[in-house]
Amino acid sequence: MGRPRDPQGRAGVARLRTTADATRFAGHILSRIGRTATPDPAIRDRILRGAPAAAAILAPDSADAIAEVLALCSAEAWPARITGAATAPFHDPRHVIAISCHRLDAVTEHEPADLVVGSGCGIRLNELAGTLAAHRQWLPLDPPDAGAATLGGTIAAGAAGPLRAGHGSPRDMALGLEVVTGDGRRLRFGGRVVKNVAGYDAVRVLVGSHGRLGALTHAFMRLRAVPTHDATLTFRCGGGADAAAGACARALRIRDAVEPAALEVVSFPATAEAREWLVAVRVQGGEAGVAADIDTVRRLEPSATTPTDGAAWWRGLSEAEALGAGAEHALLMPDGLAEALREVARRLERLGDPRTVAVHVTDGRIRTWLPPEAPAAESALTGIAPAHAADPRVEDLTRRLCAVFDPAGILQPPEQADG
Amino acid sequence: MSAAAATAAQAHALRPDLLRSLTDLLGPDGVITNPGSLLVYESDGLTAYRARPRAVLLPTGTRATADAVKLLSDAEIPFVARGAGTGLSGGALALDGAVVVSLARMDRILSLDPVNRRARVQPGVVNVELTAAATPHGLHYAPDPSSQTVCTVGGNVAENAGGPHCLKYGTTTNHIVGLTVVLSDGAVVELDTGVAGGFDLVGLFVGSEGTFGIATEIDVRLTPTPDAVETLLAMFDDVDDASRTVSRIIAAGLLPAALEMVDREAIRAVEASAYAAGLPTDIAGALVIEFDGSPAAAHADADAAERVCRDGGARAVQRATDEADRQRLWYARKKAFGAMGRLAPDVLVQDAVVPRSRLPDTLREIYEIAGRHGLLMCNMFHAGDGNLHPTLLFDRRDADLVRRVEHASREMMETCVRAGGTITGEHGVGLDKREYMDMIFTDDEMALMCDLRRAWDPLGLANPAKILPTRICREWVGPATRRAAPESPA
């Protein structure tokens, strides 16, 4: 099966239109869909920082309007980019039509007995959390930008935070998704029930698709009851490369002893001479279970202490990561973390910069970031994870997959489009 | 054999040169063409449908599978992968002159990594044997379909199989992290959920029912075995009380590892069998509820659930005292399907899902439908996730009864879809539910699924005539395929 083509040729997608073309096309769209609501100024600014030549920045207030915009773009082979709150910046030099879904923010269904919520994808995660908390339920997702990110943006990025240890990621929580494809078809996959094997699992491939398969406009998400008890313990492992490796080993021992909701190895920017390594574990559940888990952790780590406000501790970590600059990440298997972190610690000692390091121990994800506004610095994680050779067959499948949802290729970032 | 039948058999047979090539590749034991031996492969667990394959191939590894598929592909012969043949939707049926590729010989656990909680297995590994291998390391493979002592991990991947414990632990797709896949042109591709920035092709493949290719190696996630398990059986005099209690348990903030329901007919069948659990046969229904975790947590949760059941009208609640007692309580649920054989020569198991909150209404409607059609029905199902298995008992030799069973099945499916549910929770669409797909999908949605299928299998050779209604993939073409048509291979 050859590479799919749109009638005007894929080169048209990447070809830079003139500013006059862009103005004309933007005007054409607005005349077709009417005076659409303007995006939130903060979102607009974030989009412009990454796409300064955007032809138009739209925030349609309905899935039908988004469908019409994408159909118009697809017919003209005009590049378009989808975003929620633009908390995950995209960089695109082209005269893109930027579409923010943040106005699709209504909770449409919430039956507490089913532990399922249906909502427009533009709802902010913290706003959704507030709605669910009234029924003592929650969506246990804590990506770094949970304060500002939309539900759709989080799903499209497949983003998760420390709670992935005990609760998983959007991949495990999305039950049904409505998507507007690159050529403006409104389609629904999955549904509002937790078990569903009817047809292909398009929901899975839409999660983590980063807007390349369409605009996510509505989602059914599986919820959990807010745990009645929630405790956090931390213990210090000392400074230096050996301590970093030791922290990983001790964290894995905790992993095998309890079922942590979150389990991180963290090193904050050092204020003294030596950078210190810390393990943080979060346990949730009923009173008896959490008490037993705390006892287990303290038996293994007698020096473990409890922060004054555990939830706030985790929020602080997430906010720091959201605001951080120069973020890097590497994915390893848990048994490779100790040696990897030993090497990272040596590099940081050499670099001497105020970088934070955090590790999701249960799935081997190392992240680093600098304070906001810090100057660009040398990479700390290059070569840490085994290199993954690109497989031409996988790339071919990926291209075909994108063509199924986006026949004209308008949603593909410039590095994926034909030159 | 008549001359006509002989001609048909000859036409159905593989060409001699192709047969020779396959035999050279797989060995004489790796190719079955004897009509008597092919009988075994004519159906899966849904015995109402039968189709004799042109041949059965038994490769032993990825390379042999790929080479065999390449030979078939060059000859434009469709194929269908088969595990243990326990599927309940006709997914392993060899339609359109297909050849069966049996994965029964690919039954090795290739590696088991306790620290990373992973295992790499061939698709023919039996589900429960994977758990047995992981048990010494304090781990298990969580998806536990009722057929787990026979069904294979490869089959589980094809169907995205569930089981009683998927309420807490998720279905098969939540436990697959990598696949080696043989595509329909014989190419081999490695898929991995851990690739940064990549699409979740693993998640898309799981549940594709063999229509995207054949998984020849599977990377699974293993789950820590809980320290403690507590099992309860709550008996109710009113089915409504039982089904409402399901929601009350969840509303109480509890998350059971399993939450199953059986009705009076199912209990009576079990109590009349060799697996009698000692339950009264005059109760309207029973819930089997299980909690796991730390001993303190499991015990506290079981206490809380017992209170909810008693407040919800339970006549009695039994708590398992040890492992043997736990097995006894589970007989009420796990042995029910097998016990149906005492009641009628044929059974038809539905597999619909409704939102948990709609269980009471839906159950009432289902009983009404069965009664109106004069049918004997049992219900045993995964109540915690609203996955119903109304089981109709009949004799296929009675044509009128068969007609009533078909009408009642469709009505039950429509009832579940109207309640916000779906047409299959774990058995798959296969052949059996193809024509129900338009109850839940629009033409555009099915056309996109058709395009997805063609993206993986442009030649249309992998398990043909499954999942999508025939009219969709033969007459309707989605936009992606239309645009690709000028460059499609001949």
Side-chain angles (χ1 to χ4, degrees), chain A residues 175-394:
Chain A
L175 301 176
L177 290 173
E178 179 184 87
V179 61
V180 177
T181 62
D183 56 347
R185 289 169 284 163
R186 268 184 81 178
L187 307 175
R188 292 180 185 182
F189 298 101
R192 56 172 62 74
V193 289
V194 297
K195 284 176 73 175
N196 191 343
V197 295
Y200 299 124
D201 199 347
V203 171
R204 287 269 178 268
V205 81
L206 288 168
V207 175
S209 60
H210 294 277
R212 291 176 64 186
L213 301 182
L216 301 179
T217 50
H218 186 275
F220 285 108
M221 305 296 287
R222 189 208 68 197
L223 305 174
R224 288 287 186 240
V226 172
T228 56
H229 291 75
D230 187 341
T232 296
L233 298 103
T234 62
F235 54 92
R236 298 175 187 281
C237 301
D242 289 344
C248 284
R250 289 160 76 173
L252 283 175
R253 207 168 53 154
I254 299 291
R255 179 200 70 168
D256 293 339
V258 300
E259 286 181 41
L263 180 63
E264 300 274 305
V265 169
V266 186
S267 179
F268 294 109
T271 52
E273 301 81 27
R275 173 182 284 277
E276 192 168 37
W277 296 87
L278 179 81
V279 175
V281 56
R282 187 172 189 178
V283 289
Q284 297 176 327
E287 182 177 11
V290 167
D293 286 345
I294 291 171
D295 283 346
T296 300
V297 173
R298 287 206 165 118
R299 209 168 39 248
L300 291 170
E301 298 289 345
S303 68
T305 58
T306 304
T308 310
D309 184 338
W313 190 93
W314 292 102
R315 269 198 310 276
L317 180 66
S318 285
E319 282 163 10
E321 187 167 2
L323 294 171
E328 292 184 89
H329 64 268
L331 189 62
L332 291 92
M333 298 294 262
D335 69 348
L337 281 177
E339 287 316 302
L341 220 54
R342 191 193 305 275
E343 173 57 23
V344 170
R346 284 197 198 111
R347 291 183 187 187
L348 293 179
E349 280 168 11
R350 179 173 55 80
L351 292 170
D353 61 29
R355 212 173 301 230
T356 300
V357 182
V359 185
H360 295 319
V361 173
T362 54
D363 74 340
R365 203 171 296 254
I366 304 176
R367 299 105 63 211
T368 70
W369 61 87
L370 289 157
E373 314 307 328
E378 191 177 322
S379 164
L381 296 185
T382 299
I384 286 294
H388 186 94
D391 180 347
R393 273 281 169 176
V394 173

Side-chain angles (χ1 to χ4, degrees), chain B residues 33-199:
Chain B
T33 54
N34 175 286
S37 304
L38 291 178
L39 276 175
V40 173
Y41 298 92
E42 281 192 350
S43 75
D44 60 13
L46 191 64
T47 54
Y49 300 111
R50 292 172 192 274
R52 183 172 301 185
R54 292 171 83 168
V56 175
L57 310 180
L58 293 110
T60 53
T62 299
R63 191 69 260 152
T65 305
D67 290 345
V69 167
K70 178 79 168 68
L71 286 170
L72 295 174
S73 170
D74 288 345
E76 297 183 357
I77 293 175
F79 59 89
V80 50
R82 180 185 177 101
T86 55
L88 292 170
S89 57
L93 239 68
L95 300 178
D96 288 6
V99 165
V100 165
V101 179
S102 167
L103 304 170
R105 287 187 170 177
M106 295 169 66
D107 60 356
R108 288 186 296 132
I109 297 173
L110 301 171
S111 66
L112 202 152
D113 179 351
V115 175
N116 294 318
R117 296 178 175 175
R118 299 281 175 96
R120 190 164 180 96
V121 304
Q122 289 187 316
V125 169
V126 173
N127 178 292
V128 77
E129 288 176 10
L130 175 54
T131 283
T135 296
H137 305 284
L139 299 168
H140 71 290
Y141 180 59
D144 61 340
S146 303
S147 55
Q148 69 178 149
T149 54
V150 184
C151 67
T152 61
V153 176
N156 296 163
V157 166
E159 305 296 329
N160 190 14
H165 287 82
C166 70
L167 174 60
K168 178 175 178 181
Y169 292 104
T171 56
T172 296
T173 195
N174 300 107
H175 301 273
I176 305 302
V177 293
L179 295 166
T180 300
V181 173
V182 170
L183 300 175
S184 66
D185 60 357
V188 179
V189 63
E190 301 285 342
L191 306 178
D192 189 335
T193 57
V195 175
F199 289 103

Side-chain angles (χ1 to χ4, degrees), chain B residues 351-431:
Chain B
D351 174 40
V353 187
V354 296
R356 197 184 299 113
S357 59
R358 301 298 304 274
L359 262 178
D361 291 342
T362 307
L363 270 179
R364 253 183 261 117
E365 286 188 55
I366 283 176
Y367 281 116
E368 187 276 328
I369 293 168
R372 185 157 33 81
H373 288 277
L375 299 171
L376 189 56
M377 180 180 69
C378 302
N379 274 289
M380 52 265 178
F381 56 99
H382 314 298
D385 39 41
N387 189 186
L388 296 157
H389 291 309
T391 303
L392 298 172
L393 308 165
F394 65 106
D395 184 338
R396 79 176 80 175
R397 295 168 295 186
D398 182 338
D400 176 65
L401 188 49
V402 168
R403 224 170 6 254
R404 281 185 278 136
V405 164
E406 286 170 357
H407 287 156
S409 295
R410 179 163 267 271
E411 275 192 54
M412 289 178 187
M413 198 66 82
E414 287 167 349
T415 297
C416 292
V417 170
R418 259 199 317 273
T422 188
I423 62 173
T424 175
E426 57 185 8
H427 294 173
V429 176
L431 176 64

